[in-house]
Each structure stands twice: as structure tokens, then as C-alpha cells.
Amino acid sequence: MKLLISLLPIILPFILLVLLRMPAKKGMTITFVIVLFSAFFFWDMEWNVLAASILQGFHKSLGILLILFGAIFMMNTLKKSGAVNRINKGFNRLTKDMRLQAILIAYLFGALIEGVSGFGTPAVVVAPLLVALGFSPIGAAVLSLISDSVPVSFGAVGTPIQVGLGNISTSSAFLNEVAIYITSMEFLAGVFMPTIVVYVLIRFFGKGNTKKDYLEILPWTLSIGLFYSLMSYLTALTLGYEFVSILGPVITLVIATISIKFHILTPKNIWMKAKEEREEIQDNDMPLIKAWAPYGVVILLLVLSRTIEPLKQFFLTFIDLSYRNILGIDAIDSTLQLLYSPGFILILSALVAMLIHKSKASTIWASTKSSLSTVKGAALALIPTLAMVQIFSNSGLNLSELSSMPIYLASFLGERLHGIWILLAPYVGELGSFITGSATVSTLTFSPIQYQIALDYQLNPGLILGLQVMGGAAGNMICVHNVVSVSTVVNLEGKEGMIIKKTVGPALLYGLLAGLSALILFS
């Protein structure tokens, strides 16, 4: 019975959202109610702990909604100023091939946003750009989610490693050892991800495809994947894990742009078979650098606020809306540092964009009203989702002294399947991200049990923890609140199950590639 109860937060969303195709706001509300009563009657959680968990989930959803609002507000602002049209014109002048555009925008530009931000920000930033270029809304959502995978292991200046493994060790040497294991395995796992992104684009969203559409792009996508992995490995080896997902994307983005400009390994044919009819992009005399300036402001503010210690402390402490010791329970907290939130930085950058682009004052109100209207629908799905997540995570606080549901589940699997644990370790990380919506929280939750299994069964602890981090990154593709967020920014509310149905395959494949990489390289 305990196994079934601990699986409910995984099984129910899959049945309700994917198989029955319920909108997330309905499916996740049903899941929340069932998990709530199961936690009370079968896991012996007290009502005050459950109530505190619900409040914690509500508070955490505010942080995600702030990011959502910031991303939508910025996009609406840039659309009204004509900057989005100018950016898209620039991409079309570089290449009209949608396969190349997907890698440039979703994979590499998204990786850069992940490197300085995290928190699910990349997908909600890049998906609207893809839609504006003529990608279908569901295609943009799916490609953005799949792309936000490999960079997540080192996202937000190394947070999944530094914070996620903080309950195992704070030694820089140990954390860098794990980082080198990850970047080594990416030579097999990560190399294929750009190819997988393009395969999904062609397979699910193209029309009248031929084998040539797949084969002719392989030299370029594999080269980009290899170069990204090489940059990641060298950065981890020389500078440390904090800089992997900043330097890797920047350098690879430059190389990719040069290769497209000079037709190095790129296909001769221009593939546009997934393009939806849109209004023709109008000529715009705005300088390209001026159009891109707001995104430059976003990246600059994110980097400065996370790398310059005095500034970081100011951003963390000046307006601290964190909710600690909820209902008097020490172990239940929720942090929200307003200035440090990527949402606030996106809003601030949008306001700067209005000054740069000399937008009318009425634009602020129009963009605000439109953005709030869009976010309102997402709130109905995010709040029950996060409340359910916190009940699941806090289930160790019970009267019967049971392990928490996630720890019970991982221990159950480890005890019975340790012989193939190298192959299963990434999927434990994916499981954590699917439920909690965070690669960092997944690793924070499951790294102790992964570490203990490694010690108990004579496995390499650094390698197993590396697989956990990689799995947590892969889980980003399928976690419910990321899917809800990206579906909101591309106006696909209620279609979350359709999105997960297309991202679950790449997520499982990436986990398999990670496990096989570990077996091949380190067994």
C-alpha cells in the first residue's frame, strides 16, 4: 500500500493529463485532493503539516507566476515596439532553415538563459520567439522544453550541483569531481541532444518529410553537440562547474552562427516544412543590436546579481518575501527574494526596453493588462500542483515515523534493483524533477539515498551523483509546472498532456544515454 501511495503523484498526472488529456488545472486539482487525503489516512501526516505544505505550495507558486509574468510582459513589450519583428528578421537573414533556427534559439540561446537564471526561465523566454518565427505553438513549447535539459545540470551558475549536493559535501574538489563525471558522460549523452531536438521538430511538426531531411542535418547537429560537450568539459576541468552553462552556450552560439554564415556542415536545402502561416515580417529600421538590447540587459543583470557578492547579497536581502516556519513548523519554509527572482529582472529589463525603444506610456498598461490576463489561467494549475508537490516532499513529517514518500520510493527501488542501479540512477533524478519541478530540489531530495546506495553496493559515489544531477536535468522536460508555464506563454492552456506526450520520449532517452555513458566510460 505504501508503494502505491508514494507513486500516486507520478501515476495520477500521467493518467489524467497524458492519457485522459485533462487540462492541468483540472487534472492537478484532482491529483492534489487524492494525494492530500492519502497522506492523511495512509501516511499519518497531521492536518497542521498538510495545511503548512499547502501554504508552502501556494507561496512557491507566486515565485513561478512572477517569472511567467515577467517573461510574458517582456515579450508583449518587445512585440509592441517592433523589436521581435527585427530579431526575427535577423534570424531569417542568417538562415530560414527551421532546423538551424531551433538549435540557435531553443537549444543555445535557451542554454545561456539557463546558465544565468534557471527556475524554468529559458523555455518561457524562447518559446514565444519560436512562435513569432513561424513555429507552431505546441512545436515551440515542446522544442523549448526538450532543449532545456543538458544545460540544467549546471544551470543558474551551478546551483543544481552546489545546492543540490550541499547535503552530501560542500567541498569544491568533490563538487568539481562530480561535474567532470557529468561533462565526461555528456560526450555520449549530450552530443545527441541537438540531433534529438531536430528529430522531434521534423518527426512531429514537419509535413511531407523525407529521409534526406533527417540525414543532411546530422553532420551539423552532431558537431554542435560535440563542441558544446567539449566546451563544457574543458570549462569544468579548468574554471569549475559554476561557469559551465555560461561559457559553453556563449562559445557554441558564436561557433554555430559562424558555421551557418559560412555554410560549414549546414545543409544546402532550406527546411521550412513545419512553418505556420504568419503575417510577413515587416521591414524594420531598428538596429539589430537595439532590438536585442533588452535580452542583453536580462543576461547582464542575471550575471551581475549572481556573481558579484555584495550585489548578490543586496538582491537577496533587500526585499525578502520568504515565508519561514510556516504555521510554526521549522522544517517547512518557502523563499522568495523579490529582486533576485528572474521574474523581477525580466520585468525590469522590459521597462528598460521601453526606454531604449522609446515606447509610449500606454504600452506599459496594455502589456501589463494582457500579461496578467494570461498568467491568471496558469495560477489555477500551478497552485494545486505545487501544493501536491510540497505534501509529497514533506511527507517525512508524520506520526508513524515513516520515511518521506520520495525517500521510501527510492529506497524500495535501490534495495531490489541495485544490480542495475547505474542505469536507474538517472531515472530517480527524472522522477524527482517530474514531481518537484526542480532539478535542484530533485538532487537535494534524492542525493542522500543515491549516495547511500553507492556506498552500500560498492558503486562510485561521484558517478552515481553525477547521474542523479543529469536525470534531474532531463526531468525538466516533463515536470508539470514547467509544462504549465510554457503552455501559458504560447496560449496552449489545457494542452499540457499533449506536450508531455511528446517530451516524455526524449526525457527517457536522455536518461538511458546517461546510464549507458556511465557504463561505457567508467565500468
Side-chain angles (χ1 to χ4, degrees):
M1 178 60 77
K2 285 189 287 187
L3 178 62
L4 176 62
I5 298 303
S6 64
L7 284 170
L8 285 176
I10 304 154
I11 296 171
L12 288 175
F14 184 80
I15 293 173
L16 298 176
L17 272 63
V18 178
L19 299 183
L20 299 182
R21 297 186 180 183
M22 283 187 188
K25 59 186 176 184
K26 182 178 180 181
M28 294 313 298
T29 300
I30 292 171
T31 301
F32 159 67
V33 171
I34 293 173
V35 171
L36 172 67
F37 283 100
S38 298
F40 178 74
F41 287 109
F42 297 103
W43 221 265
D44 215 8
M45 293 179 70
E46 295 180 277
W47 279 116
N48 65 327
V49 175
L50 292 169
S53 299
I54 293 168
L55 289 173
Q56 185 185 29
F58 176 79
H59 190 267
K60 284 181 178 291
S61 69
L62 296 179
I64 296 168
L65 290 169
L66 180 62
I67 295 171
L68 257 183
F69 174 79
I72 298 168
F73 180 65
M74 183 166 183
M75 181 53 61
N76 286 338
T77 300
L78 297 184
K79 280 182 179 178
K80 291 179 185 298
S81 71
V84 169
N85 276 351
R86 182 65 187 92
I87 289 169
N88 289 340
K89 197 77 173 179
F91 276 119
N92 279 324
R93 284 178 180 170
L94 179 63
T95 178
K96 292 185 178 181
D97 192 314
M98 298 179 78
R99 299 168 297 184
L100 305 181
Q101 289 177 342
I103 299 304
L104 284 175
I105 300 170
Y107 197 79
L108 295 176
F109 182 57
L112 179 57
I113 298 293
E114 175 64 41
V116 295
S117 172
F119 298 100
T121 310
V124 298
V125 170
V126 303
L129 280 174
L130 291 175
V131 170
L133 271 170
F135 288 73
S136 68
I138 191 167
V142 169
L143 296 176
S144 300
L145 287 165
I146 295 172
S147 296
D148 193 24
S149 51
V150 174
V152 175
S153 294
F154 299 95
V157 201
T159 298
I161 290 179
Q162 184 178 30
V163 176
L165 296 177
N167 52 4
I168 301 296
S169 174
T170 57
S171 163
S172 294
F174 178 77
L175 297 181
N176 271 318
E177 179 189 341
V178 174
I180 290 169
Y181 276 121
I182 294 170
T183 53
S184 298
M185 287 185 282
E186 292 293 13
F187 275 107
L188 289 179
V191 161
F192 292 102
M193 284 310 295
T195 302
I196 291 169
V197 170
V198 170
Y199 173 83
V200 169
L201 168 64
I202 299 171
R203 172 69 178 80
F204 292 112
F205 306 108
K207 297 174 183 176
N209 302 313
T210 65
K211 288 183 180 179
K212 186 177 181 181
D213 296 331
Y214 297 96
L215 296 175
E216 66 183 359
I217 194 70
L218 280 177
W220 189 77
T221 54
L222 290 173
S223 297
I224 293 300
L226 181 61
F227 192 85
Y228 186 98
S229 299
L230 178 62
M231 287 299 99
S232 298
Y233 177 76
L234 292 176
T235 303
L237 198 63
T238 56
L239 298 177
Y241 65 89
E242 299 97 328
F243 301 98
V244 169
S245 59
I246 296 176
L247 290 181
V250 169
I251 297 171
T252 310
L253 192 54
V254 171
I255 295 298
T257 302
I258 292 171
S259 71
I260 293 170
K261 188 175 180 65
F262 294 99
H263 308 290
I264 302 170
L265 297 179
T266 55
K268 292 180 180 179
N269 297 313
I270 296 174
W271 190 88
M272 299 176 66
K273 295 178 181 179
K275 196 172 183 69
E276 290 200 341
E277 291 299 322
R278 297 275 195 279
E279 290 184 18
E280 190 68 27
I281 298 174
Q282 300 297 315
D283 285 329
N284 190 321
D285 59 1
M286 181 184 291
L288 190 57
I289 192 169
K290 187 175 180 181
W292 272 106
Y295 288 107
V297 172
V298 171
I299 293 167
L300 179 64
L301 288 175
L302 286 168
V303 170
L304 293 178
S305 64
R306 283 146 174 80
T307 57
I308 298 177
E309 198 57 36
L311 191 60
K312 180 178 179 178
Q313 289 306 312
F314 173 76
F315 273 67
L316 282 170
T317 58
F318 185 64
I319 304 178
D320 190 349
L321 302 179
S322 300
Y323 190 4
R324 296 184 173 85
N325 301 330
I326 300 173
L327 299 185
I329 301 173
D330 291 342
I332 299 183
D333 301 300
S334 178
T335 59
L336 177 55
Q337 289 100 355
L338 183 63
L339 300 189
Y340 197 72
S341 167
F344 173 80
I345 288 173
L346 285 166
I347 294 168
L348 182 60
S349 299
L351 295 175
V352 171
M354 291 181 182
L355 294 175
I356 294 172
H357 300 153
K358 298 179 181 178
S359 302
K360 296 178 181 178
S362 59
T363 301
I364 298 178
W365 170 243
S367 296
T368 301
K369 187 177 178 181
S370 174
S371 303
L372 284 173
S373 176
T374 304
V375 168
K376 184 171 63 176
L380 297 176
L382 284 171
I383 291 171
T385 298
L386 270 293
M388 182 275 291
V389 165
Q390 298 315 131
I391 290 171
F392 180 78
S393 299
N394 296 331
S395 54
L397 301 173
N398 59 73
L399 295 175
S400 298
E401 298 185 356
L402 298 170
S403 300
S404 68
M405 294 183 199
I407 295 299
Y408 172 83
L409 191 56
S411 300
F412 180 90
L413 294 172
E415 190 176 315
R416 290 157 179 80
L417 300 170
H418 57 267
I420 55 170
W421 195 251
I422 283 180
L423 291 174
L424 291 180
Y427 292 113
V428 173
E430 289 196 30
L431 174 68
S433 287
F434 173 73
I435 298 166
T436 67
S438 166
T440 300
V441 175
S442 172
T443 299
L444 197 60
T445 303
F446 286 115
S447 58
I449 191 68
Q450 295 264 30
Y451 185 72
Q452 195 58 50
I453 287 172
L455 294 180
D456 290 345
Y457 301 106
Q458 291 78 52
L459 301 172
N460 183 328
L463 179 64
I464 296 299
L465 291 174
L467 290 169
Q468 159 64 43
V469 173
M470 292 174 74
N476 245 31
M477 303 184 210
I478 53 175
C479 79
V480 175
H481 85 59
N482 273 0
V483 175
V484 169
S485 297
V486 77
S487 65
T488 300
V489 299
V490 294
N491 297 315
L492 279 179
E493 289 178 65
K495 305 295 184 183
E496 295 85 2
M498 291 174 61
I499 294 172
I500 293 175
K501 195 172 182 178
K502 288 180 171 60
T503 59
V504 68
L508 295 175
L509 178 58
Y510 182 56
L512 177 62
L513 288 171
L516 291 175
S517 299
L519 283 174
I520 293 168
L521 295 174
F522 300 107
S523 290

